[in-house]
Amino acid sequence: MRKSLLLPTVLASLAAFVLVGGVLLLIDPSAPKHEAIKTGGLAGGAIVALYALWLNDRRRKVEEARQELESQRIEHDRSRVADERFARAVELLGHDAAQVRVGAMHALAGLAKSRVEYTQTVLDILCAYLRRPFKHNEDELEDFDAERNEIELEVRLTSQRLIEDLLPRVEEKDPVQYDLNLTKAHLEYMDLSYRHVGDLVMRVAQLNEANAFHHMVIHGDVYLTEVEATGRFYMHHTEVRGKAWFSRFKARGLAVLTESKFLGETKFKGSEWADVKADGCTFAVEADLPEAWRN
């Protein structure tokens, strides 16, 4: 295309030179010839300049298209590598060796940090690991099983810490709202304090030792139905913007919910509270508070 336009451009430039110069001489034969030649030369040069501008613009567009294709290729390669890393890490979560499972969890968390489109999926996988069967009461275990259980507990604590680390902190503006599904999970020293979450689902969960859900912003709903908290349960200074279900929640130890805000419908039907501190709790929708909360 460039060669085919070069000759016509040169011919057009010469024609403009001759035409403009000739017209000027015809109009005013007494005018200096060098002025006519100069003006004709400018006209011819303008055509050449326009061709050069068009040529540069065409080259620029071709280069931009090439760079876009190269960027797409690089991104495709990155996505393929990320998919392979993801699949391999998920596969290793079923490995017999605890250290391999821990490494797989860290690989997934690293992937979630480098490629945010994986974050919710990685959180779902880490939560699913915590939903695996687990016996907390070591008195019910043989010595060999107790040792294996202790090792497994360390893996589970790693999963919990990585979940905590992937959630946005409360000081972040316009955070992504990630959901957590911890239904039937066994949690010990879970700490989601000062974090944003979307929905927090912990139906039929077992909370051991101490677990912290204070100073949180829960943008969606929180379901704590049939949860048994055998240790300390902290949910103070937390804002729940959706529904809050504490139906059949059993707090065997200290439960602290002071200064929390419940902006949606809240239910406590069948809940039990051995020792609760709920001073300053507010409810946007009137709730049928259990007797322990009224004292």
Side-chain angles (χ1 to χ4, degrees):
M1 179 65 72
R2 295 176 191 173
K3 292 182 179 180
S4 64
L5 288 179
L6 179 59
L7 181 59
T9 300
V10 172
L11 293 176
S13 176
L14 291 173
F17 169 73
V18 173
L19 180 63
V20 172
V23 169
L24 288 176
L25 290 174
L26 288 174
I27 293 175
D28 187 4
S30 62
K33 292 183 178 180
H34 71 274
E35 289 295 332
I37 294 173
K38 180 179 179 181
T39 304
L42 290 174
I47 292 177
V48 174
L50 288 174
Y51 172 73
L53 288 173
W54 173 85
L55 193 60
N56 286 335
D57 182 66
R58 186 174 184 278
R59 287 173 177 169
R60 178 184 60 80
K61 290 179 179 179
V62 170
E63 180 62 20
E64 288 177 351
R66 188 191 66 78
Q67 291 179 355
E68 178 65 23
L69 287 174
E70 182 65 14
S71 297
Q72 291 178 2
R73 185 190 65 78
I74 292 173
E75 181 60 26
H76 175 74
D77 290 343
R78 287 177 178 172
S79 296
R80 178 180 55 77
V81 171
D83 290 342
E84 291 174 355
R85 286 174 55 198
F86 175 79
R88 180 58 177 161
V90 171
E91 181 182 350
L92 291 175
L93 282 177
H95 200 278
D96 291 337
Q99 64 269 27
V100 175
R101 299 199 297 276
V102 169
M105 289 178 180
H106 279 284
L108 287 171
L111 182 61
K113 290 180 179 179
S114 62
R115 301 186 70 87
V116 294
E117 65 269 24
Y118 280 93
T119 304
Q120 182 62 66
T121 302
V122 170
L123 285 169
D124 291 341
I125 292 170
L126 294 173
C127 287
Y129 192 91
L130 295 173
R131 296 199 300 268
R132 293 172 55 168
F134 180 72
K135 290 184 179 181
H136 175 72
N137 190 352
E138 294 185 0
D139 295 336
E140 299 176 358
L141 301 171
E142 300 291 340
D143 290 342
F144 176 72
D145 290 333
E147 182 179 352
R148 292 183 61 181
N149 225 43
E150 187 65 26
I151 295 173
E152 174 61 16
L153 176 60
E154 290 301 318
V155 179
R156 299 173 71 85
L157 291 175
T158 297
S159 180
Q160 290 181 185
R161 287 192 295 268
L162 292 174
I163 290 171
E164 298 156 14
D165 191 43
L166 288 174
L167 293 174
R169 295 190 61 84
V170 289
E171 59 266 23
E172 293 187 28
K173 303 299 182 182
D174 301 319
V176 180
Q177 299 172 22
Y178 297 114
D179 300 328
L180 298 181
N181 185 354
L182 292 162
T183 298
K184 294 185 177 181
H186 288 257
L187 306 178
E188 185 169 323
Y189 297 114
M190 185 72 159
D191 186 0
L192 299 183
S193 57
Y194 298 95
R195 295 295 193 277
H196 287 280
V197 299
D199 292 332
L200 177 59
V201 182
M202 291 196 297
R203 294 185 177 97
V204 204
Q206 183 72 37
L207 307 183
N208 303 307
E209 302 300 337
N211 291 273
F213 307 96
H214 59 82
H215 292 90
M216 293 181 65
V217 178
I218 302 174
H219 296 266
D221 303 326
V222 55
Y223 291 99
L224 295 165
T225 51
E226 298 189 51
V227 167
E228 183 174 10
T230 59
R232 297 180 300 280
F233 176 79
Y234 298 104
M235 201 176 187
H236 53 89
H237 298 88
T238 286
E239 182 177 295
V240 181
R241 297 180 177 177
K243 295 181 290 187
W245 255 235
F246 290 90
S247 305
R248 299 177 299 283
F249 182 95
K250 294 179 175 58
R252 306 301 190 191
L254 175 64
V256 183
L257 294 95
T258 53
E259 301 294 335
S260 285
K261 299 178 181 179
F262 297 91
L263 306 183
E265 188 178 2
T266 309
K267 289 186 178 181
F268 293 93
K269 184 178 180 180
S271 61
E272 301 176 12
W273 306 84
D275 183 11
V276 61
K277 298 183 184 302
D279 307 55
C281 273
T282 58
F283 300 88
V285 180
E286 185 177 358
D288 185 15
L289 297 177
E291 188 65 28
W293 284 55
R294 302 172 189 168
N295 298 330

